[in-house]
Amino acid sequence: QVQLVESGGGLVQPGGSLRLSCAASGFTFSNYAMRWYRQAPGKERELVAAISSGGVTKYAESVKGRFTVSRDDAKNTVYLQMNTLKPEDTAVYYCNRGLRVFDLTSQTDYWGQGTQVTVSS
């Protein structure tokens, strides 16, 4: 029932920008925090950014000041605007449903299929 579909990845040069989108369905989107993770070959999965149901945001230190996470509850979509991209940003980026507001028992193991971001000259 829960479905998350990422889009917007691609190949860009260092210093370029991309905007990722995650379209959600099968649940009341506005009640949930949403998160972006990424994973590069040989590396652990890394939390990149998160946004609460109320719009409070958090970022990994490596992307702070360059990436911006936002949400549009009317469209059931969460975005990740990525600016000043670096080769070390190359990874598969995944959308993940976070906690439901005021509910620490809510299920968080829902993921999208991922979208590839490659930053190279």
Side-chain angles (χ1 to χ4, degrees), residues 29 65 71 90 97 109:
F29 180 80
R71 65 191 297 153
T90 296
R97 193 180 80 173
D109 197 22

Side-chain angles (χ1 to χ4, degrees), residues 16-91:
S17 298
L18 284 173
R19 189 176 78 158
L20 307 184
S21 299
C22 173
S25 60
F27 62 98
T28 304
F29 180 80
S30 61
N31 287 340
Y32 287 84
M34 298 298 296
R35 303 184 284 203
W36 287 97
Y37 286 81
R38 67 186 182 187
Q39 188 165 28
K43 294 193 64 180
E44 294 184 343
R45 185 182 59 190
E46 174 189 23
L47 177 63
V48 176
I51 183 167
S52 75
S53 63
V56 179
T57 59
K58 293 182 179 180
Y59 300 92
E61 187 66 26
S62 60
V63 308
K64 202 165 189 176
R66 299 188 296 121
F67 290 12
T68 303
V69 62
S70 61
R71 65 191 297 153
D72 186 341
D73 288 347
K75 296 182 178 179
N76 287 356
T77 301
V78 61
Y79 304 95
L80 185 66
Q81 178 67 47
M82 306 185 295
N83 297 327
T84 319
L85 283 161
K86 304 175 180 179
E88 47 264 50
D89 296 318
T90 296

